[in-house]
Amino acid sequence: MPDSTVPPTPPVPLSALLAREDLALRRIAGPDDPGTVVHWVHTSEMADPYPYLLGGELLLTAGVHIPEAAGAGTYFDDYVSRIVAAGGAALGFGVAPVHDTVPRALVAACERYGLPLLEVPPQTTFSGVARAVWQLMSQARLSELRRVTEAQQSLASAASRPDPVPSVLRQLAQRLGGWAVLYGPEGAEIAGAGRGPGGEASAALARLAEVVRPDRPAPPAGAASQAGSASRAHSTGPGSGEPAAARSRSAHRPGPASPAGPQPPTDPSRPAPTSATDTTAGLHLAAYALGAGRGFVLGVAAPGRVPGDHTIVSVAAVLLSLLTAEQQSGTGAARSAALVRLLLGAAPEDVAPLLGEGRRWVVVHARPDGERVPDAVGAAALGAALGSALVDPAGDVVRVLVPADRAPDPLPGWTLGVSAAVAPEDWTVADTQAARALARARATRAPLHRHGPRPALADLVPPGEAAAHARTLLAPVTAHPALPETLRTWLSLHGSWDRTAVALSVHRNTVRQRIARCATLLETDLDDPDVRMELWFALRHI
């Protein structure tokens, strides 16, 4: 769980505090380490401040506690060593009114113990130093929140694309400046993005993924149960805070790592942690178990770890969990039952109550932009965006059955055709309408086209008679499956060769040949508007 001794605000680099011209602080002893950070400011005139420190402080003192003969003994060594033992980040010594200069023995002690020593000039108050630290913390916190918010928006947008998993991984790798990879239940890399690490780091990340993978096989006897202290496994979820080990106020000294790298726990009854971290070849590695034990693991490798990274990776882990999850809820069981009943010959209107009482439905045909073929994960993401899990990825077109009260809107990366709202017994009719709407949308290069039925002269003819007339009129061309659909599309697009070719994914010369063949078989003039009207009427009834 989160370390209660660390404030929720980001730490302030000591170099940023020294850069404040209004404070005029000057480092006069100790290492010039850009990694030194300050968590808070504390003022004390105690000879032994150890009991009052939590670690990470900039300790401010005016030297009131220093005895007159302190320079001749071990007073300053004892004083500085206790600050270092408590985890103090730096010591600030205020010049005047007690001491005109910083004692030389204190400077020497800070050099020996590696504690940064700052000279605080007379015009700078201790309260002013504390205020400057909190200002820098607020600015850092605001910057972190802005970065996390922007990352959340970009990850959510990536999850709605036709290729959601690669898109989320690309965004995550870009935000971290590293590499992101999704491992499958068997440990294989399903997708990856970013600048791939070297072989050593890649192998270490794969081993780290096995640490968090549920239902792992027991390791062979004698195998190391875990890497050295450089590797840490945590039993916290993706949304939890940073591990306490990573926020210890004392420096972390990694021990020798196992040659085999991180290994799963040897106790099979011990649950696998949901996240784990490691450091290899100068890269920070992390692995997150996705979903409810499905075996998918998210791995990331980045040059470093800055505030906000854990939150950003956690958002990506949640999105990938949703994209890779299998529906096992009661509604999922109801959908399975509905499918079984349909396969066994039940009428759609008898099956529909399992999917929700009193509903009307629309059928959506969707096709990804470009030449991509939608995969199962992309189809599931499309269904989630449309608010339905009734998804059928059939070739290059995804069909989705959507409740009519959830009117589909255009989706980036997809072209959609939407049917009219129908009762369950008219699902097959709606499927045809959606297919024609999709063809119309692709031909007109519109992101979405809806079938819009309205009263027409055709409604005056009884359906049976209209179908009989259509069969008789179109008999010469119905023996050739490609001809009726080509004629229908060509007529719907007002005789445009190019747009018909786009809608049917064929060459324009193929369209010309098919239309010429239709004219020959029907023995009619397709340039005559009356002929076109009669054929359109007939094509709507076959």
Side-chain angles (χ1 to χ4, degrees), residues 309-337:
D309 280 358
H310 183 75
T311 303
I312 293 172
V313 178
S314 298
V315 172
V318 170
L319 290 171
L320 291 171
S321 295
L322 295 174
L323 292 171
T324 57
E326 296 181 14
Q327 298 282 344
Q328 297 296 325
S329 62
T331 56
R335 287 194 297 273
S336 297

Side-chain angles (χ1 to χ4, degrees), residues 115-489:
L115 179 67
L117 176 61
L118 311 183
E119 180 186 75
V120 184
Q123 71 271 18
T124 301
T125 65
F126 287 178
S127 296
V129 175
R131 181 177 60 186
V133 169
W134 293 121
Q135 286 175 345
L136 291 171
M137 283 184 174
S138 298
Q139 294 171 5
R141 181 59 172 169
L142 180 61
S143 176
E144 176 187 339
L145 290 175
R146 184 180 296 112
R147 175 172 175 258
V148 169
T149 300
E150 292 174 352
Q152 288 175 333
Q153 293 172 345
S154 64
L155 288 170
S157 176
S160 66
R161 294 184 59 82
D163 52 344
V165 170
S167 295
V168 169
L169 292 175
R170 281 195 298 270
Q171 277 295 327
L172 179 59
Q174 179 182 344
R175 295 290 171 176
L176 299 183
W179 187 52
V181 59
L182 177 65
Y183 297 102
E186 303 301 325
E189 293 183 15
I190 295 178
R195 189 172 183 178
E200 178 185 358
S202 180
L205 186 58
R207 292 193 298 268
L208 195 65
E210 293 301 317
V211 174
V212 301
R213 191 185 311 283
D215 300 324
R216 304 172 310 277
S225 62
Q226 181 69 7
S229 58
S231 175
R232 301 182 295 275
H234 322 293
S235 296
T236 56
S240 63
E242 292 286 348
R247 296 192 301 262
S248 173
R249 70 186 183 181
S250 60
H252 178 69
R253 305 292 182 186
S258 165
Q263 299 292 331
T266 56
D267 183 3
S269 64
R270 178 184 175 187
T274 56
S275 65
T277 62
D278 194 8
T279 302
T280 301
L283 294 176
H284 180 87
L285 311 180
Y288 296 81
L290 302 181
R294 302 297 173 196
F296 291 93
V297 176
L298 169 64
V300 294
R305 193 173 181 88
V306 299
D309 280 358
H310 183 75
T311 303
I312 293 172
V313 178
S314 298
V315 172
V318 170
L319 290 171
L320 291 171
S321 295
L322 295 174
L323 292 171
T324 57
E326 296 181 14
Q327 298 282 344
Q328 297 296 325
S329 62
T331 56
R335 287 194 297 273
S336 297
L339 175 60
V340 170
R341 294 188 188 184
L342 283 172
L343 291 174
L344 295 179
E349 57 268 27
D350 296 332
V351 171
L354 292 173
L355 306 176
E357 291 287 349
R359 281 187 173 179
R360 292 173 65 81
W361 302 81
V362 296
V363 176
V364 177
H365 280 214
R367 184 164 177 171
D369 296 344
E371 300 301 325
R372 293 188 305 272
V373 176
D375 56 16
V377 175
L382 171 67
L386 294 175
S388 175
L390 302 171
V391 181
D392 173 30
D396 57 355
V397 174
V398 179
R399 301 189 300 174
V400 188
L401 191 59
V402 181
D405 56 356
R406 302 174 188 172
D409 292 321
L411 294 176
W414 292 92
T415 300
L416 306 180
V418 183
S419 75
V422 299
E425 57 268 23
D426 294 324
W427 281 345
T428 55
V429 175
D431 185 49
T432 303
Q433 293 175 352
R436 294 174 182 172
L438 176 61
R440 179 76 174 179
R442 296 189 65 227
T444 58
R445 293 179 174 83
L448 182 147
H449 183 77
R450 303 179 193 274
H451 177 82
R454 60 181 182 274
L457 292 175
D459 299 328
L460 301 177
V461 180
E465 296 181 14
H469 172 73
R471 286 193 298 269
T472 302
L473 179 62
L474 298 173
V477 297
T478 52
H480 309 275
L483 296 184
E485 189 60 29
T486 301
L487 182 59
R488 177 186 290 110
T489 305

